[in-house]
Structure formats: structure tokens, C-alpha cells
Amino acid sequence: MSSSIGENLRLSIFGQSHSPAIGMTMEGFPAGFSIDMDRLDRFLQRRAPGRNAWSTPRREADAPEFLSGLVGNTTCGAPLTAIIRNTNTRSADYELLKTVPRPGHADYAAEARFRGYQDAAGGGHFSGRLTAPLCVAGGICLQYLETRGIRIRAHIAEIGGIRDEGDPLESAAEKDFPVLSDERGEEMKALIAACRAEGDSVGGIVECAVTGLPAGLGEPMFGGMENRIAQIVFGIPAVKGVEFGDGFGAARARGSENNDGYAIREGRVVTETNHAGGILGGITNGMPLIFRAAFKPTPSIAKPQRSVNLKTGEETELSVPGRHDPCVVPRAVPCVEAAAALAVTDALIAPCPILPKQV
Amino acid sequence: MSSSIGENLRLSIFGQSHSPAIGMTMEGFPAGFSIDMDRLDRFLQRRAPGRNAWSTPRREADAPEFLSGLVGNTTCGAPLTAIIRNTNTRSADYELLKTVPRPGHADYAAEARFRGYQDAAGGGHFSGRLTAPLCVAGGICLQYLETRGIRIRAHIAEIGGIRDEGDPLESAAEKDFPVLSDERGEEMKALIAACRAEGDSVGGIVECAVTGLPAGLGEPMFGGMENRIAQIVFGIPAVKGVEFGDGFGAARARGSENNDGYAIREGRVVTETNHAGGILGGITNGMPLIFRAAFKPTPSIAKPQRSVNLKTGEETELSVPGRHDPCVVPRAVPCVEAAAALAVTDALIAPCPILPKQV
Amino acid sequence: MSSSIGENLRLSIFGQSHSPAIGMTMEGFPAGFSIDMDRLDRFLQRRAPGRNAWSTPRREADAPEFLSGLVGNTTCGAPLTAIIRNTNTRSADYELLKTVPRPGHADYAAEARFRGYQDAAGGGHFSGRLTAPLCVAGGICLQYLETRGIRIRAHIAEIGGIRDEGDPLESAAEKDFPVLSDERGEEMKALIAACRAEGDSVGGIVECAVTGLPAGLGEPMFGGMENRIAQIVFGIPAVKGVEFGDGFGAARARGSENNDGYAIREGRVVTETNHAGGILGGITNGMPLIFRAAFKPTPSIAKPQRSVNLKTGEETELSVPGRHDPCVVPRAVPCVEAAAALAVTDALIAPCPILPKQV
Amino acid sequence: MSSSIGENLRLSIFGQSHSPAIGMTMEGFPAGFSIDMDRLDRFLQRRAPGRNAWSTPRREADAPEFLSGLVGNTTCGAPLTAIIRNTNTRSADYELLKTVPRPGHADYAAEARFRGYQDAAGGGHFSGRLTAPLCVAGGICLQYLETRGIRIRAHIAEIGGIRDEGDPLESAAEKDFPVLSDERGEEMKALIAACRAEGDSVGGIVECAVTGLPAGLGEPMFGGMENRIAQIVFGIPAVKGVEFGDGFGAARARGSENNDGYAIREGRVVTETNHAGGILGGITNGMPLIFRAAFKPTPSIAKPQRSVNLKTGEETELSVPGRHDPCVVPRAVPCVEAAAALAVTDALIAPCPILPKQV
């Protein structure tokens, strides 16, 4: 189903940009887990707009209200539902989006798919705002995974060609601008500011590392960790590519370079390198799981663009007014962490029946 | 489920490298479709090993036997099952793979996941041989899609850094070595031969184009064409990255460069460029759907590699003997076409209930 | 998943008896359908408590608030979510239910399943109150099915051994007490009143007829209409049996009695009798689809019952105080209609790809 | 999907009565389980035709060939596929069944669903022969469940109104005619013989008991044991009703009679009676799980019946020649056990994450 994902941990996301509320239902999450609501709020703030100079000045509260699945703050085993009210609903006239689709946005594809019935206001169900409930669900999973010794950290790996530097296993989560190298971060911020000034936007790459995973997580073929993570990460708007370990770089390597030799370190089997990004045959090998997601530039730009009037069939020009992020990548960092947390939790609670060895 | 995929067209793949047979069951495929068995056989031959100098000299018949789902060669609506017998079963001693895992292969991850119960022979259920039933299923879908005006063509976009040149909408399928530029193809073949001579291997990229798609195919969020294609393509062994349209390149672009402006051509809405690879918000916009998959180099290499003995806990050295493809990319081209065909067919037969507009 | 059901129309129900709200998300419902909200409210009133003498005097508003999936009152193709606030939350002390389980209720089974984490208040996620969101979803489907010429009508077939009389294709929906024979209805009401006076309760049977179905709906084996309807109807609390057509009566018949011979009436193929209840091989044959669901007596009774204290391990006695329906069957009638409507809609929007016959 | 079922243990059944083979793929079954093939064969023989006087004299070998999922006879974690060759394929002319549908069979419904493309020979995918792969899968699960202390035993509870007598927890599995009371069995056999002599058939009821289940198995709402078992049991051809515990009898009882009071026996919580059939709120309570399935009489009878010619649109008469079981109930007993075993195994291996209580 379109807006649902997961096998054992089933996440369903609902809402449109301007509907009364957006929200999520998560089914299959472990019972008996106490959510740290303050911490969840801080995590959601990392995604929230209006926090700083490089994101849209619009500000929303984005405080989730939990409707079900809890006794106090502890999960009770019933489906967990949380909603976030939309305060800014139905105000604008978005009929224009059905008539003159914005380049790079889903407007035209949605019109073709839903034949005019789609909720066009603010992008409707396609809006980036729907990553807020994704982060509610994923933020809870992040807390849960930490109790199992699993940590997930993402950072901005690249914006407009400027690359971050540092060890991806380090955390940038506590920073306002989540990069490892603050020097590179300043360059990125300058680039974003320049794009904003030009009425333009810029894309980037988020890199994510998952540590503490046991070896043996995931399934062969279509149930691999790569398949699971890709399926959910491509659900974040603007993602156009996903790669694991050396990814597209591995396509240029020799086998003798790309294979990760095994070694024993402190009594544990490890690999000497990690070109595989911790995944072989879809299954974790106990090394850090590393992946990257490519984000295209924000399609909303002030610069004039070519479009067509679907009613008259005439070509026209369009510029997208309003206050948009010239770069979604900084705010996408917690979304990628949330997506990874959902995929990992789904795999972790999967049934994995193995009978004990007969002696 | 690990070895099953699809919502409306449900594909289930079974078998191990050395089990009596491998095969597939496809449920939900349209009734009344007459399979051209000769053409299916020719498609499967493109994947089959032993055809030429740059692939393994091992040769298997790979002729599917259809057990169910047909009346004559026409689908009857019941699940469609085909098997391919394994002629080379249980002959070798593969216990060693459980003890000394091959770098880059799934051996160690499988041991961790299945705790010694996995069928290690020939890679078991993780073997690239399982792409044969994938191609049986996908090959049938390719035939079906052509009757709906949809064509899928893939080519080798890159091997070891050597890039193919040409229009990805052209077909390379009829060639022994599926590249658009035969000149680049010769360079690639020379590189593969050199790698073989060194006991090494090399990776590459397959690019795939789907034309004839209607606008409006796919679903928002997790049901998008990107999610669906990625989920299945990552099921092909050795794939480490998937990108759509400009993919990772889009991450380096400005919005004004990356947005595809709309225009009217011959009365139809088109985009002037196709950086989006035909997908916006997960949904097709009527332009060619373009994606690329990155394949890592074949992990089986003759060069000595570092490994460990899982029983004794000692480090050791390993070289993988036998006749292996130094580059899987040429044979992976039909697999990528098959994967795309399965994802597109699944989306195409999805229920898409829209009520007629009231006048 | 436990609280989700359906393949093409995916319903997810959330909430507990005393959580802030209960609700449902329905994904896959046709876009462009205008919900008649007044009519939906009247349908929900048929299930609501406190309407009359034979149900509990407790009264709740049960007005759904739609959070997403609509533009105005018209479905937009995005997931449709509605919630109903619980006004009576957390007030009572339900810890006792975890300690001394009520016979016939899920208390003890829930304790065993969720090991004390379950929300015991008011039965939690097991509460009959969760049939309210089921009726929201089903009530919308009923409206949709009517536009396709399909009508669903249920009536009380039996209470405590007193049988209704009449043609099950007639509607009893507009009656306060939904029986075909008002005479039998008076007897039933007298029996319910007697049970209430004794502090006891009584069970019954609901019969449901679906007319206007095309022949050819449903799938073989596990996707049959019987499988689909049974799976959802057993989700209504207190249902202990489901039968189609003559059901258990067919088990006592000869083939020559039970087979429904074919005939032509007004140019249409019909059966002369309908022992099959309109279903053969899981698939509709164009005759009315008839099924019955058996409801056990309300487990909450004032009479003293045997129970145990799970903490002390001692046997004890329990009587369930409060205002409970002595018979849930009258209020279950719309729930059965809703369940049938969900199953039929799911089957109706299923992909059913059949290629046109080649001439 | 029509021919697939299960969430964690995913069973897919394929084949038609006259296709080259029938078979099943089971995914998710525990790795490391050694199948006792002789015992499985004896279980399959209980379902096989031609064993005795009261079933069809036709005889098939029905020996499954395992194609994948095993190393030796031990499951390896990959999908488990077994096939049974059909020896009697395509011999007869079944085109008549598409023209003049047999009353009580799926012929007409299949024609409506698949518009002439269905494999009509021998009932195609609707044939009772498809219960053979169901029994292969279920027979393996039965062996697995026994290692976990869970036993499943069914018996003929009723044929044509003659009721078996005895304790349903006793096993009748080792008997040729699986009844508890051999005296009642003789009466049933006489009735079957009389029906055969008249060219008629007769229906019956199978009762099934599952013992050794832990309390707490199953899920609320749609994931209950009743929902799961009903969904699969209605996949056995000819089943028209399913009830749990007192089932339809509970609909005639008072709450004070039907509630099962709790008691302590040997330190364990039990119920003094078992009207609930071991299930409350969909979840097991630790008492034996009891259910019954109603089978209609075999539709194939020699007596002339009314039908229509779908091509000419004329009414006609039909008698079904050949050697058919006048009563499928004896052979259905292992099918019901298999269905129960599949549903219980699916629930047993479900993820059930509960965090340990903090002290």
C-alpha cells in the first residue's frame, strides 16, 4: 500500500499539507516501551521548519498528540497513533496548481494519477510535511534501538558539490547544522544563502551510519536490509538515489579492492575494510551499516520556469512565490535517521525462527 | 517476505544453487495472455552463463518447465509456476564455505543469520543463479508490457569506469554485448579480459529506460515507482546503488537546472528535459523512466584474500578457485530489465479506482 | 497485522476504550467519492449505545472527525482517517481487571499476551467500542456500494433461540429493532428484558444478505468471499461462528438437495435455489450472498461468577457491575453490515486483469 | 492474494487438477527442522483417494518431491517448495464444463471470473486435489508443533446428521475411518454406501482440537486465532461454515451458562468449562482450542440435475459421470488438521515483542 510500509512493524502515514491533521499509526511496536517525550520533541525539532536562517521562516509547532497505543507514556501493544494538527489549512487558493503544474513538483503526476480529485493545497499528501509523522514514528524507534545498543547517526555529506569531511560514525545530531566538519558546514551555508539570494535552490547528499547491529539481520533477496532501507528512504520527498557502502563507487572498483577481507579483532570477526557498508547478501555482517541518499534541489524556486496551462493547453511561465527552503538537506537529516530506524526496527523484530542445534 | 515481492503481481522465488530445482511462482498475472515461449527462451539466453568469452565457461540449459497456470501457453488466472532443474547438485564439498567465508560473498552473513543451517553449496539461496527464475517472470512481463505499448531496454552504462555512449532509449538487447557504442564495448571487453587474466574482477553500472508509460502510474510515499523498482533491483545480487533520472548528479545541481520545465509537443504535455527520470512524487509523468543500478565487482576472485576460520578463530588466506565471471554486468542487463518489468507490471495492474467526474 | 485488514482496501483500526480517541485509516478507497455525512451519522447511530430500552443507558456522541483524505466531503485518494474522541477516559480503576479476570472477556488472554502492559481500562483495544470506527469505514463503503447497485442488509435472525421470520432480502435497517417480523421482535425484546432483570445476558445470530453482486467476484482458495468475510466478521467481538448459505445445515443434506440447479430467468443465468448463499469455489455466482454470524451472550453479567486472583493465585468470586447491554445482537447488526461492505468493496476494487478474447 | 496465506509463515499453493504438477512453497518456516518423510507420507495417505470402500476408487501416488529449502531432510531457511506430479493430465475433454456448468461446483463462477480462460479440466485450480499440497505444508507444521508440545487432532463429528460420540481430545488419526465411536462410524459408512448406491452424496462436520497451546497466542481484532483459522479453513473446498467452542450453540445460551469461570488446577489458571473453545478476544487462554467446519455434500452426483448451456442459453439436464467420493468428509479430516497446523504455526512464530518488566 502506498502510504504504509513494513512487515512486522507496520507504519501507516496519513494527512495532507492542509488537511485538519497529519499523523501516523504504527502497529507491531514492542509493548512495554516508555517513550521519552521530551527527547522525541527535541528530535522532531531537528526536522521542524523555521528554526534558523537557512530554512523557511514559516514556523509550526509540530507537537504530536498521541491518541492510542499508550498507557501513560508506555506502549501497551495496541496500535500507536499520533497526530499533528495543521494550523494553516485551506487558506490559500491552490486550484492554480491543478491548472499550471510547478516543475519538479508532483502536481502534474498527481493530476494524472488522481484526475483532479487530489488535494492540491500545499502539495497535499505529497508534501514534505508528511515527513513529520515519519519522524514521530522513527524517533520512537531510535529510542528503542538505543536500548538495544544500536545507534543511528546521519550528517550532511554534500551540498551542491561541497563535501563534508570526517568519520561518518561520529554524530552531528546535536548541531544546528548537522555536518562533521564545521568548516565545510560554513561553506555549505554560504552556498545555501547564495542560492536563496538568487531565488534558486540546491541539492545534496545525506549519509547515515548504523552501529551496534548484530551480524545476521535481514533476509535474502527482496527482504535484504538494502531493499528495506531503499524502499522507505525513497518515500522521503526529493530522494533520487540510494547507495550502500561504496555504492556507485564500487562499480568502478576491482574485486581485489572492493572485497572486505575478514580478520579477528578482540575475539570478534570483523572486516578490515567496509566497502560493503555492513551488508552482504542483504544481511548485516556486524560492521557499521552505511548508506547515502541523494536529494534533488528544492523544486520551489522564485526564478521563472516553463510550464503549461492544463486547461487551455497553452505554454506559460511560472515562478513559485512564498518562503521555501532553498535546500531541504539539513532538515532531511533526521528524516533519513528516522527512515533507517524504522527499517532496522522492522528487521530486528522479524520472526527469525532457528531451531537449536542438536548435539 | 524475503523471497516474495509485489502487491498485485506477487512473485515468489525459490531454490538454491544446488537444490534439485530453482523456480518461481507468479500470482496475479493477467489471465488470457499467450506466452511466446521461443522469445522467452531467447530472453533467458541473454542471462545464461557460458555464452561467450567474457562470462564463465560453465553452461546450463536453463530451460524453464511450466508446472501450472497455463492452458497450452496461455495464462489461465491460476498461479503460474515454472522450475529450472539444477543439473549440478551436491557434487562439491561446500562445508568449507561455512568455515572460511569468502570475502564479498554472503557466506559469513548467512552463517550469522541461519546459524549453520543455510545451504552453503554454491551460495545456496543467495546465488546469482536465482536470477534465472527472476528472468522467467520478468521475461513474461516484458512480453505483456509490449502489448500495452511499453518497452524496457537496458544497456551496460559503465564497466570499471569506462562509460557507454549513446541514447539510452536505443536498444542494445539484440547484441551479444549489450552496449550502445560498440567502440566503448570493445574497451570494456578488453578490461574484463585483463581482469580475468589477473585473477581479478570488475564492477559496473546498468542503465535502464522504460518508454510508453502513461502519466499517473505509481502511488505517493512508499508506493512510488522509485520505491518499487529499488526494492526489487536491490534483490539482484551485487547491486549496491540505485538512482533515478540524474540521481546522485541531481544532488550537485541547482533547482533552476534540475527542474524539468513543461511544454506542449504534438498536443501532449511533455517536459523539455528529463532530469527527473520520468518520476515526480513517485508517480510517472509520461516521460521515459530512467534508472541506473551499480554492481560491485564479482567477489569470486583467484587472487588471495584475507579470511578467518570460524571454527578455530584463526586468520587465514583464501583464493576462490573455479570458473567465475570476472564481471557480472553483461549478464545482469536482462536481470535489470526483468526487475523493471516486474515493478512496472505490478503498478500497472494495481487497482486505481477513480470515480468519473460528475457533470 | 492484527488491527489491519484488506488487500486493496486496507483498513487499520486504532484506539482503546479509554484512550484519548479511537479511529480508523482506510487506504485504497476510490478517489472522487462524496460521502453523505448525514447518512453516515444515521448509520452510526444504529450502532451507538443508549438509544433505547434494550441497550446500555450509557450515551456517547460517536461523531467522527475526518482528519485526512477529503477535499470537502469528497475523497481525494490519500488515506482517509477519522477519529472519535473518547470522553470517558482513565476515570475508573481498571487495575482490578488485570488481577481478577472477568469470565468470557479477553482480560486473562490479554494479560497472557501482553504480560501486564495491555490497556485494561474498559477492555482496551479489545473493547466493543472499536466497532465504531469499523462502522465509520463500513458505512462509507455501504454508500459506495449502493452507487454500484449493491445493497447490504442484515437483521437479527435469532436471539436466545427465538427466530426471526421473513425474507432476508427485505430490509430491517430503518427499524429501531432490526427484525423482519415485529412479532418475533417483541418476543426477543421481552427475553432481553428478562435477562436484564436476572442480571444475565443472551446471545443471538445476525443474518446478512448482499444483493446486486456481479457473478465472478472473489478469488479461488484463500481469497474467496467466504474467507474474506469470515476474516473480518470474526474481528467483531463476541462472534463465535460464521456460515454461508445453508452453512452447518448443508452438512446434514444430500447433494441432490443441496446443489442449486441452474436455470434461465429473463435471459440471465440464475440458480433455482440458493443453498450455496451465492458463493461457489469462493466466487460469487450472481445470486444473493447470504451469511450468518453467531454472537455469544454478553460476558458482562451481574450474576456472581468464578474467577481467580492472578496475583495471589487464589480462587475468588466476581460480579461485573455497571450498565451493560444484556444482548449485543441488535447493535451488532450494523457492524455485520459494515464488515460485509468492507469485504465486498475490497474484492470489488481488486485488480482483475483479463485480456480480451482474441477473435 | 488468492492462493497465498499467512503472515509469518507464508504458504503459496499452485497447480491445477490437470496441470503437469501441483505444489506449494512455504516461506518463513523455522530453519533447522528435520522432516520425518515417512511420517509425512503416512499423513498424506490419510488424505489420498482410493484407499477404501467409501472414497473414490481412483488412486494417485501423491508423493511430494522437494525441490528447495532442504539440506538433506533438514530445513535450511530458504523457501521450501514441494511438488506432486499429476499423472492424469489433459486426457479428458472438459470443454463441456465451460458450456454446461455442474451445479454446486465452481464451474459457472470460474467462467464469470476468468471469462473462459480458466483451466476447466478437473475443476482446475478449484479442485479438491489442491488440498494435497496444503497437507504437505500442514503435515510438516504438525511435526514441528509436536516438538513444541502442541497436538492437533480432528475427527468426523457428523455425517448426514449421524453424530460421533466421545472426547474430542482423543485421537482418531490412526483409524481408517477417523471417528471416536466406531459404532457411529459404522452407521456413517452405511449411510455413505447408501448415498453412493443412489448416485447421491452427503455432507458432514469435522471437529478439530488443538492441545498444548500456551495462553496468549494470537492478536486482537483481525489477527485473532478465529480469524486466522477461518481464513484458511474456508480455503478447503466444500467448507460452508466454521465455528469455535460452542459456536452457533453459544448464540442460544445465557451469559451465565456460556461464560467459563476461572479456577486454579495444579497451580495453573484454567477454566472450569470450555464454551469459548480456548479463545477469548481472539487470543488463546491456555485451554484446548476447539473448532468445527461444516462440509457440504460432494456436488458431483450421478443423479440428473438442472443446468444451462451457456453457449446456446438453453436449459438442459446434466448428470456427472465418473468415480467421485459420495462424501469428502473422511478425507477432509487431515486437511482440517493441516489447516489448523498452518494457522497455529503462523501465530506461534509471529513477532511478539514485549519488553521485560522494569523492577
Side-chain angles (χ1 to χ4, degrees), chain C residues 120-182:
Chain C
H125 191 54
F126 294 87
S127 166
R129 181 149 173 72
L130 273 291
T131 56
L134 183 83
C135 282
V136 173
I140 295 167
C141 289
L142 283 167
Q143 292 185 19
Y144 168 69
L145 292 174
E146 287 211 2
T147 67
R148 310 249 331 224
I150 297 167
R151 290 197 54 187
I152 297 182
R153 314 164 178 87
H155 69 109
I156 303 171
E158 196 174 318
I159 284 182
I162 303 169
R163 298 198 181 182
D164 193 16
E165 285 164 2
D167 180 355
L169 304 188
E170 293 296 312
S171 180
E174 64 286 357
K175 298 185 184 180
D176 270 357
F177 194 83
V179 283
L180 303 170
S181 158
D182 292 335

Side-chain angles (χ1 to χ4, degrees), chain B residues 7 32 62 83-84 139 166 169 183 189 224 227 259 309 312 314 323 336 348 356:
Chain B
E7 288 201 340
D62 276 5
I83 62 170
I84 298 171
L169 303 187
E183 201 177 332
K189 282 193 260 184
N227 314 58
N259 282 350
N309 185 310
T312 65
E314 286 169 354
R323 303 164 301 178
V336 170
L348 205 64

Side-chain angles (χ1 to χ4, degrees), chain A residues 37 66 158 183 223 227 328 359:
Chain A
M37 291 293 180
F66 284 86
E158 194 175 318
E183 199 177 334
N227 313 59
V328 296
V359 195

Side-chain angles (χ1 to χ4, degrees), chain C residues 96 99-101 103 304-310 312-319, chain D residues 261-264 272:
Chain C
L96 184 63
T99 309
V100 182
Q305 301 176 77
R306 304 292 306 163
S307 188
V308 298
N309 185 311
L310 297 177
T312 64
E314 284 169 354
E315 302 193 349
T316 179
E317 205 159 75
L318 178 81
S319 90
Chain D
Y262 290 102
I264 305 283
E272 295 174 316

